[in-house]
Amino acid sequence: MLKIHFSGEDILRTRVAPAADPVWELVLSLHALRGRNRDPLTAGWRRTVSRGLRQDAASEQLRLLFALNPPRGYFPDFLTPYASVDGFEAGLDALRSTPTGMLHRDLNVLATENHLPSSAAALARGDVAVLHHLTDSMEQYRSLAISPYWSQIQSAVAADRARRARALLDGGVEGLLTSLRPALRWEGGVLEVRHYPHSRELHLDGRGLLLVPSFFCADTPVALLDPALPPVLVYPVDRLGGLASVDDTGAPSGAARDSLAALLGRTRAAVLQASDDGCTTGEVARQLNISPAAASQHATVLRNAGLLVSHRDRNSVLHTLTPLGRAMLDA
């Protein structure tokens, strides 16, 4: 079990990442690709990416990247720098600037349970060429495994952020932390990750906590090993149908395109507008002066067309826009 201890100052400084973190998603997707947990919601993605890796001549160039991310257990802290909260390029820039001492320490920990290629030894010595090769490999892998699906990943994370925003408005930061059940439990100033693989105590010491909602995070939330690094906790989001419904370009499936024909009419446009900042079925009904049943029906059509995502929270269903829905609304 992981126990994260909060002071009053830590509660004030706790926040949720502003969007899906591209570096964390990339790293965790490597674990999902080869791990034992064969989630059916990512089965199509795994087949497509695995096929692309077999056909891609660059797959050999990804050897070090895969070695640093075993399917289970520890992976280096330096792979997911805090700066990635500002985007993929910011994350890679920070990775290229990793201090040699941190590279050496993290790779020594990894080598205790994993066989590493010879290039890892050069990386541990701070070899700049190998470090740049690693970030180049991350860019190559991203183009195959992440970029075609980025809008779906963003949608799932945006839907989760809308839920956390509601919890924060209704109950403050304690309400936000309580809303993370069942993956985490908040009680008495301590946030517990019950099924964490190792027993650990993390004291935030006034630094607060960055909560990172993640599509590719498995059932158990992830924290960095080094307690001196800025505290981060990555937790899983509802995958909202997964990635099986997109093609290799990330476009909506044929079924979703066919559903767009059902979108004509002012009422559904108004439902789309009402969902811009997240809205429950009951709130849609009250805003538009329609019955809850009608609001639910319109939301279902919009969801089937890929314009909304919906998530049940207790006795209500919260609707938020997908990137496609937002683009249509903006247009």
PDB file of all heavy atoms in Angstrom, residues 6 8 10-16 163-180 186 211:
ATOM      1  N   PHE A   6      -0.808  14.289   3.725  1.00  0.00           N
ATOM      2  CA  PHE A   6      -1.086  15.687   3.389  1.00  0.00           C
ATOM      3  C   PHE A   6      -1.093  16.552   4.646  1.00  0.00           C
ATOM      4  O   PHE A   6      -1.628  16.147   5.685  1.00  0.00           O
ATOM      5  CB  PHE A   6      -2.463  15.821   2.739  1.00  0.00           C
ATOM      6  CG  PHE A   6      -2.568  15.311   1.333  1.00  0.00           C
ATOM      7  CD1 PHE A   6      -2.525  13.948   1.065  1.00  0.00           C
ATOM      8  CD2 PHE A   6      -2.739  16.186   0.274  1.00  0.00           C
ATOM      9  CE1 PHE A   6      -2.648  13.470  -0.227  1.00  0.00           C
ATOM     10  CE2 PHE A   6      -2.859  15.719  -1.022  1.00  0.00           C
ATOM     11  CZ  PHE A   6      -2.809  14.355  -1.277  1.00  0.00           C
ATOM     12  N   GLY A   8      -2.219  20.716   5.760  1.00  0.00           N
ATOM     13  CA  GLY A   8      -3.164  21.703   5.249  1.00  0.00           C
ATOM     14  C   GLY A   8      -2.613  22.440   4.048  1.00  0.00           C
ATOM     15  O   GLY A   8      -3.336  22.744   3.096  1.00  0.00           O
ATOM     16  N   ASP A  10      -0.487  21.213   1.873  1.00  0.00           N
ATOM     17  CA  ASP A  10      -0.506  20.292   0.732  1.00  0.00           C
ATOM     18  C   ASP A  10      -1.878  20.267   0.070  1.00  0.00           C
ATOM     19  O   ASP A  10      -1.984  20.215  -1.165  1.00  0.00           O
ATOM     20  CB  ASP A  10      -0.144  18.878   1.191  1.00  0.00           C
ATOM     21  CG  ASP A  10       1.312  18.768   1.617  1.00  0.00           C
ATOM     22  OD1 ASP A  10       2.175  19.305   0.898  1.00  0.00           O
ATOM     23  OD2 ASP A  10       1.580  18.156   2.664  1.00  0.00           O
ATOM     24  N   ILE A  11      -2.923  20.300   0.881  1.00  0.00           N
ATOM     25  CA  ILE A  11      -4.279  20.298   0.325  1.00  0.00           C
ATOM     26  C   ILE A  11      -4.491  21.529  -0.543  1.00  0.00           C
ATOM     27  O   ILE A  11      -5.056  21.444  -1.642  1.00  0.00           O
ATOM     28  CB  ILE A  11      -5.322  20.226   1.462  1.00  0.00           C
ATOM     29  CG1 ILE A  11      -5.282  18.835   2.106  1.00  0.00           C
ATOM     30  CG2 ILE A  11      -6.722  20.532   0.944  1.00  0.00           C
ATOM     31  CD1 ILE A  11      -6.229  18.669   3.271  1.00  0.00           C
ATOM     32  N   LEU A  12      -4.000  22.674  -0.085  1.00  0.00           N
ATOM     33  CA  LEU A  12      -4.150  23.904  -0.860  1.00  0.00           C
ATOM     34  C   LEU A  12      -3.384  23.841  -2.174  1.00  0.00           C
ATOM     35  O   LEU A  12      -3.780  24.482  -3.157  1.00  0.00           O
ATOM     36  CB  LEU A  12      -3.665  25.100  -0.040  1.00  0.00           C
ATOM     37  CG  LEU A  12      -4.505  25.478   1.184  1.00  0.00           C
ATOM     38  CD1 LEU A  12      -3.824  26.596   1.952  1.00  0.00           C
ATOM     39  CD2 LEU A  12      -5.906  25.903   0.761  1.00  0.00           C
ATOM     40  N   ARG A  13      -2.289  23.099  -2.217  1.00  0.00           N
ATOM     41  CA  ARG A  13      -1.437  23.055  -3.410  1.00  0.00           C
ATOM     42  C   ARG A  13      -1.684  21.846  -4.308  1.00  0.00           C
ATOM     43  O   ARG A  13      -0.928  21.612  -5.256  1.00  0.00           O
ATOM     44  CB  ARG A  13       0.039  23.079  -2.977  1.00  0.00           C
ATOM     45  CG  ARG A  13       0.446  24.397  -2.346  1.00  0.00           C
ATOM     46  CD  ARG A  13       1.920  24.440  -2.004  1.00  0.00           C
ATOM     47  NE  ARG A  13       2.315  25.760  -1.514  1.00  0.00           N
ATOM     48  CZ  ARG A  13       3.535  26.086  -1.125  1.00  0.00           C
ATOM     49  NH1 ARG A  13       4.493  25.176  -1.151  1.00  0.00           N
ATOM     50  NH2 ARG A  13       3.798  27.310  -0.693  1.00  0.00           N
ATOM     51  N   THR A  14      -2.695  21.080  -4.024  1.00  0.00           N
ATOM     52  CA  THR A  14      -3.013  19.909  -4.849  1.00  0.00           C
ATOM     53  C   THR A  14      -3.849  20.342  -6.048  1.00  0.00           C
ATOM     54  O   THR A  14      -4.759  21.166  -5.933  1.00  0.00           O
ATOM     55  CB  THR A  14      -3.764  18.866  -4.006  1.00  0.00           C
ATOM     56  OG1 THR A  14      -2.860  18.318  -3.044  1.00  0.00           O
ATOM     57  CG2 THR A  14      -4.300  17.741  -4.881  1.00  0.00           C
ATOM     58  N   ARG A  15      -3.536  19.794  -7.209  1.00  0.00           N
ATOM     59  CA  ARG A  15      -4.260  20.154  -8.430  1.00  0.00           C
ATOM     60  C   ARG A  15      -4.289  18.979  -9.391  1.00  0.00           C
ATOM     61  O   ARG A  15      -3.558  17.993  -9.221  1.00  0.00           O
ATOM     62  CB  ARG A  15      -3.599  21.361  -9.107  1.00  0.00           C
ATOM     63  CG  ARG A  15      -2.180  21.116  -9.604  1.00  0.00           C
ATOM     64  CD  ARG A  15      -1.498  22.403  -9.999  1.00  0.00           C
ATOM     65  NE  ARG A  15      -0.135  22.191 -10.488  1.00  0.00           N
ATOM     66  CZ  ARG A  15       0.208  22.259 -11.772  1.00  0.00           C
ATOM     67  NH1 ARG A  15      -0.698  22.521 -12.686  1.00  0.00           N
ATOM     68  NH2 ARG A  15       1.463  22.063 -12.135  1.00  0.00           N
ATOM     69  N   VAL A  16      -5.129  19.109 -10.406  1.00  0.00           N
ATOM     70  CA  VAL A  16      -5.251  18.102 -11.456  1.00  0.00           C
ATOM     71  C   VAL A  16      -4.558  18.632 -12.704  1.00  0.00           C
ATOM     72  O   VAL A  16      -4.695  19.819 -13.038  1.00  0.00           O
ATOM     73  CB  VAL A  16      -6.732  17.787 -11.756  1.00  0.00           C
ATOM     74  CG1 VAL A  16      -6.849  16.741 -12.871  1.00  0.00           C
ATOM     75  CG2 VAL A  16      -7.439  17.289 -10.500  1.00  0.00           C
ATOM     76  N   ARG A 163     -15.425  15.613 -14.212  1.00  0.00           N
ATOM     77  CA  ARG A 163     -15.906  14.980 -12.978  1.00  0.00           C
ATOM     78  C   ARG A 163     -15.170  15.537 -11.768  1.00  0.00           C
ATOM     79  O   ARG A 163     -15.771  15.841 -10.739  1.00  0.00           O
ATOM     80  CB  ARG A 163     -15.689  13.465 -13.033  1.00  0.00           C
ATOM     81  CG  ARG A 163     -16.563  12.708 -14.003  1.00  0.00           C
ATOM     82  CD  ARG A 163     -16.221  11.225 -13.944  1.00  0.00           C
ATOM     83  NE  ARG A 163     -16.481  10.675 -12.617  1.00  0.00           N
ATOM     84  CZ  ARG A 163     -15.884   9.590 -12.127  1.00  0.00           C
ATOM     85  NH1 ARG A 163     -14.955   8.966 -12.839  1.00  0.00           N
ATOM     86  NH2 ARG A 163     -16.196   9.147 -10.926  1.00  0.00           N
ATOM     87  N   ARG A 164     -13.847  15.662 -11.870  1.00  0.00           N
ATOM     88  CA  ARG A 164     -13.072  16.160 -10.728  1.00  0.00           C
ATOM     89  C   ARG A 164     -13.396  17.631 -10.443  1.00  0.00           C
ATOM     90  O   ARG A 164     -13.410  18.053  -9.286  1.00  0.00           O
ATOM     91  CB  ARG A 164     -11.574  16.004 -10.990  1.00  0.00           C
ATOM     92  CG  ARG A 164     -11.136  14.607 -11.374  1.00  0.00           C
ATOM     93  CD  ARG A 164     -11.633  13.520 -10.446  1.00  0.00           C
ATOM     94  NE  ARG A 164     -11.524  12.213 -11.087  1.00  0.00           N
ATOM     95  CZ  ARG A 164     -12.173  11.123 -10.679  1.00  0.00           C
ATOM     96  NH1 ARG A 164     -12.981  11.177  -9.638  1.00  0.00           N
ATOM     97  NH2 ARG A 164     -12.016   9.979 -11.312  1.00  0.00           N
ATOM     98  N   ALA A 165     -13.665  18.403 -11.498  1.00  0.00           N
ATOM     99  CA  ALA A 165     -14.031  19.804 -11.300  1.00  0.00           C
ATOM    100  C   ALA A 165     -15.338  19.902 -10.526  1.00  0.00           C
ATOM    101  O   ALA A 165     -15.496  20.751  -9.633  1.00  0.00           O
ATOM    102  CB  ALA A 165     -14.151  20.513 -12.648  1.00  0.00           C
ATOM    103  N   ARG A 166     -16.291  19.036 -10.857  1.00  0.00           N
ATOM    104  CA  ARG A 166     -17.555  19.004 -10.122  1.00  0.00           C
ATOM    105  C   ARG A 166     -17.303  18.665  -8.662  1.00  0.00           C
ATOM    106  O   ARG A 166     -17.861  19.292  -7.754  1.00  0.00           O
ATOM    107  CB  ARG A 166     -18.457  17.937 -10.728  1.00  0.00           C
ATOM    108  CG  ARG A 166     -19.032  18.336 -12.056  1.00  0.00           C
ATOM    109  CD  ARG A 166     -20.471  18.718 -11.869  1.00  0.00           C
ATOM    110  NE  ARG A 166     -20.971  19.366 -13.061  1.00  0.00           N
ATOM    111  CZ  ARG A 166     -22.226  19.710 -13.232  1.00  0.00           C
ATOM    112  NH1 ARG A 166     -23.096  19.493 -12.261  1.00  0.00           N
ATOM    113  NH2 ARG A 166     -22.626  20.302 -14.323  1.00  0.00           N
ATOM    114  N   ALA A 167     -16.487  17.661  -8.429  1.00  0.00           N
ATOM    115  CA  ALA A 167     -16.207  17.249  -7.055  1.00  0.00           C
ATOM    116  C   ALA A 167     -15.516  18.363  -6.276  1.00  0.00           C
ATOM    117  O   ALA A 167     -15.797  18.580  -5.094  1.00  0.00           O
ATOM    118  CB  ALA A 167     -15.341  15.985  -7.067  1.00  0.00           C
ATOM    119  N   LEU A 168     -14.623  19.094  -6.945  1.00  0.00           N
ATOM    120  CA  LEU A 168     -13.920  20.200  -6.302  1.00  0.00           C
ATOM    121  C   LEU A 168     -14.875  21.331  -5.951  1.00  0.00           C
ATOM    122  O   LEU A 168     -14.816  21.901  -4.856  1.00  0.00           O
ATOM    123  CB  LEU A 168     -12.810  20.704  -7.234  1.00  0.00           C
ATOM    124  CG  LEU A 168     -11.938  21.848  -6.705  1.00  0.00           C
ATOM    125  CD1 LEU A 168     -11.139  21.407  -5.494  1.00  0.00           C
ATOM    126  CD2 LEU A 168     -11.006  22.353  -7.807  1.00  0.00           C
ATOM    127  N   LEU A 169     -15.785  21.661  -6.861  1.00  0.00           N
ATOM    128  CA  LEU A 169     -16.741  22.735  -6.602  1.00  0.00           C
ATOM    129  C   LEU A 169     -17.699  22.362  -5.473  1.00  0.00           C
ATOM    130  O   LEU A 169     -18.080  23.205  -4.660  1.00  0.00           O
ATOM    131  CB  LEU A 169     -17.541  23.038  -7.880  1.00  0.00           C
ATOM    132  CG  LEU A 169     -16.780  23.768  -8.993  1.00  0.00           C
ATOM    133  CD1 LEU A 169     -17.630  23.823 -10.252  1.00  0.00           C
ATOM    134  CD2 LEU A 169     -16.399  25.174  -8.555  1.00  0.00           C
ATOM    135  N   ASP A 170     -18.075  21.098  -5.424  1.00  0.00           N
ATOM    136  CA  ASP A 170     -19.049  20.670  -4.419  1.00  0.00           C
ATOM    137  C   ASP A 170     -18.424  20.436  -3.046  1.00  0.00           C
ATOM    138  O   ASP A 170     -19.064  20.658  -2.018  1.00  0.00           O
ATOM    139  CB  ASP A 170     -19.745  19.378  -4.868  1.00  0.00           C
ATOM    140  CG  ASP A 170     -20.652  19.601  -6.067  1.00  0.00           C
ATOM    141  OD1 ASP A 170     -21.001  20.760  -6.342  1.00  0.00           O
ATOM    142  OD2 ASP A 170     -21.013  18.605  -6.736  1.00  0.00           O
ATOM    143  N   GLY A 171     -17.170  19.974  -3.020  1.00  0.00           N
ATOM    144  CA  GLY A 171     -16.585  19.577  -1.739  1.00  0.00           C
ATOM    145  C   GLY A 171     -15.178  20.043  -1.485  1.00  0.00           C
ATOM    146  O   GLY A 171     -14.537  19.542  -0.551  1.00  0.00           O
ATOM    147  N   GLY A 172     -14.658  20.976  -2.284  1.00  0.00           N
ATOM    148  CA  GLY A 172     -13.287  21.424  -2.102  1.00  0.00           C
ATOM    149  C   GLY A 172     -12.292  20.329  -2.456  1.00  0.00           C
ATOM    150  O   GLY A 172     -12.640  19.316  -3.070  1.00  0.00           O
ATOM    151  N   VAL A 173     -11.032  20.526  -2.074  1.00  0.00           N
ATOM    152  CA  VAL A 173      -9.998  19.547  -2.417  1.00  0.00           C
ATOM    153  C   VAL A 173     -10.283  18.207  -1.754  1.00  0.00           C
ATOM    154  O   VAL A 173     -10.020  17.149  -2.340  1.00  0.00           O
ATOM    155  CB  VAL A 173      -8.599  20.067  -2.029  1.00  0.00           C
ATOM    156  CG1 VAL A 173      -7.540  19.006  -2.293  1.00  0.00           C
ATOM    157  CG2 VAL A 173      -8.267  21.326  -2.819  1.00  0.00           C
ATOM    158  N   GLU A 174     -10.852  18.231  -0.544  1.00  0.00           N
ATOM    159  CA  GLU A 174     -11.190  16.959   0.096  1.00  0.00           C
ATOM    160  C   GLU A 174     -12.257  16.222  -0.704  1.00  0.00           C
ATOM    161  O   GLU A 174     -12.235  15.000  -0.813  1.00  0.00           O
ATOM    162  CB  GLU A 174     -11.626  17.190   1.543  1.00  0.00           C
ATOM    163  CG  GLU A 174     -10.484  17.719   2.413  1.00  0.00           C
ATOM    164  CD  GLU A 174     -10.645  17.356   3.874  1.00  0.00           C
ATOM    165  OE1 GLU A 174     -11.218  16.292   4.153  1.00  0.00           O
ATOM    166  OE2 GLU A 174     -10.188  18.129   4.719  1.00  0.00           O
ATOM    167  N   GLY A 175     -13.215  16.960  -1.266  1.00  0.00           N
ATOM    168  CA  GLY A 175     -14.207  16.343  -2.140  1.00  0.00           C
ATOM    169  C   GLY A 175     -13.565  15.765  -3.388  1.00  0.00           C
ATOM    170  O   GLY A 175     -13.943  14.691  -3.859  1.00  0.00           O
ATOM    171  N   LEU A 176     -12.583  16.491  -3.946  1.00  0.00           N
ATOM    172  CA  LEU A 176     -11.837  15.997  -5.104  1.00  0.00           C
ATOM    173  C   LEU A 176     -11.133  14.688  -4.778  1.00  0.00           C
ATOM    174  O   LEU A 176     -11.236  13.707  -5.529  1.00  0.00           O
ATOM    175  CB  LEU A 176     -10.822  17.053  -5.536  1.00  0.00           C
ATOM    176  CG  LEU A 176      -9.703  16.617  -6.490  1.00  0.00           C
ATOM    177  CD1 LEU A 176     -10.276  16.191  -7.820  1.00  0.00           C
ATOM    178  CD2 LEU A 176      -8.679  17.726  -6.666  1.00  0.00           C
ATOM    179  N   LEU A 177     -10.432  14.646  -3.652  1.00  0.00           N
ATOM    180  CA  LEU A 177      -9.688  13.439  -3.284  1.00  0.00           C
ATOM    181  C   LEU A 177     -10.627  12.277  -2.968  1.00  0.00           C
ATOM    182  O   LEU A 177     -10.340  11.124  -3.307  1.00  0.00           O
ATOM    183  CB  LEU A 177      -8.769  13.741  -2.103  1.00  0.00           C
ATOM    184  CG  LEU A 177      -7.658  14.764  -2.383  1.00  0.00           C
ATOM    185  CD1 LEU A 177      -6.923  15.128  -1.100  1.00  0.00           C
ATOM    186  CD2 LEU A 177      -6.687  14.248  -3.436  1.00  0.00           C
ATOM    187  N   THR A 178     -11.750  12.576  -2.351  1.00  0.00           N
ATOM    188  CA  THR A 178     -12.726  11.525  -2.059  1.00  0.00           C
ATOM    189  C   THR A 178     -13.308  10.947  -3.341  1.00  0.00           C
ATOM    190  O   THR A 178     -13.623   9.755  -3.416  1.00  0.00           O
ATOM    191  CB  THR A 178     -13.853  12.088  -1.164  1.00  0.00           C
ATOM    192  OG1 THR A 178     -13.289  12.574   0.057  1.00  0.00           O
ATOM    193  CG2 THR A 178     -14.889  11.015  -0.846  1.00  0.00           C
ATOM    194  N   SER A 179     -13.422  11.772  -4.392  1.00  0.00           N
ATOM    195  CA  SER A 179     -14.020  11.315  -5.657  1.00  0.00           C
ATOM    196  C   SER A 179     -13.155  10.304  -6.388  1.00  0.00           C
ATOM    197  O   SER A 179     -13.611   9.697  -7.364  1.00  0.00           O
ATOM    198  CB  SER A 179     -14.277  12.518  -6.577  1.00  0.00           C
ATOM    199  OG  SER A 179     -13.071  12.989  -7.186  1.00  0.00           O
ATOM    200  N   LEU A 180     -11.911  10.102  -5.941  1.00  0.00           N
ATOM    201  CA  LEU A 180     -11.006   9.187  -6.634  1.00  0.00           C
ATOM    202  C   LEU A 180     -11.239   7.727  -6.259  1.00  0.00           C
ATOM    203  O   LEU A 180     -10.541   6.846  -6.756  1.00  0.00           O
ATOM    204  CB  LEU A 180      -9.558   9.576  -6.343  1.00  0.00           C
ATOM    205  CG  LEU A 180      -9.131  10.949  -6.876  1.00  0.00           C
ATOM    206  CD1 LEU A 180      -7.779  11.337  -6.307  1.00  0.00           C
ATOM    207  CD2 LEU A 180      -9.102  10.957  -8.396  1.00  0.00           C
ATOM    208  N   TRP A 186      -9.379   8.357   0.489  1.00  0.00           N
ATOM    209  CA  TRP A 186      -8.981   9.541   1.246  1.00  0.00           C
ATOM    210  C   TRP A 186      -9.589   9.468   2.637  1.00  0.00           C
ATOM    211  O   TRP A 186     -10.801   9.352   2.787  1.00  0.00           O
ATOM    212  CB  TRP A 186      -9.450  10.805   0.534  1.00  0.00           C
ATOM    213  CG  TRP A 186      -9.328  12.046   1.351  1.00  0.00           C
ATOM    214  CD1 TRP A 186     -10.331  12.744   1.951  1.00  0.00           C
ATOM    215  CD2 TRP A 186      -8.124  12.763   1.659  1.00  0.00           C
ATOM    216  NE1 TRP A 186      -9.840  13.833   2.608  1.00  0.00           N
ATOM    217  CE2 TRP A 186      -8.480  13.877   2.452  1.00  0.00           C
ATOM    218  CE3 TRP A 186      -6.778  12.567   1.343  1.00  0.00           C
ATOM    219  CZ2 TRP A 186      -7.550  14.794   2.925  1.00  0.00           C
ATOM    220  CZ3 TRP A 186      -5.844  13.468   1.821  1.00  0.00           C
ATOM    221  CH2 TRP A 186      -6.226  14.566   2.592  1.00  0.00           C
ATOM    222  N   LEU A 211      -2.146  15.560  -9.565  1.00  0.00           N
ATOM    223  CA  LEU A 211      -2.911  14.384  -9.973  1.00  0.00           C
ATOM    224  C   LEU A 211      -2.979  14.366 -11.495  1.00  0.00           C
ATOM    225  O   LEU A 211      -3.385  15.354 -12.113  1.00  0.00           O
ATOM    226  CB  LEU A 211      -4.315  14.436  -9.380  1.00  0.00           C
ATOM    227  CG  LEU A 211      -4.400  14.326  -7.854  1.00  0.00           C
ATOM    228  CD1 LEU A 211      -5.764  14.796  -7.362  1.00  0.00           C
ATOM    229  CD2 LEU A 211      -4.131  12.884  -7.417  1.00  0.00           C
TER     230      LEU A 211
END
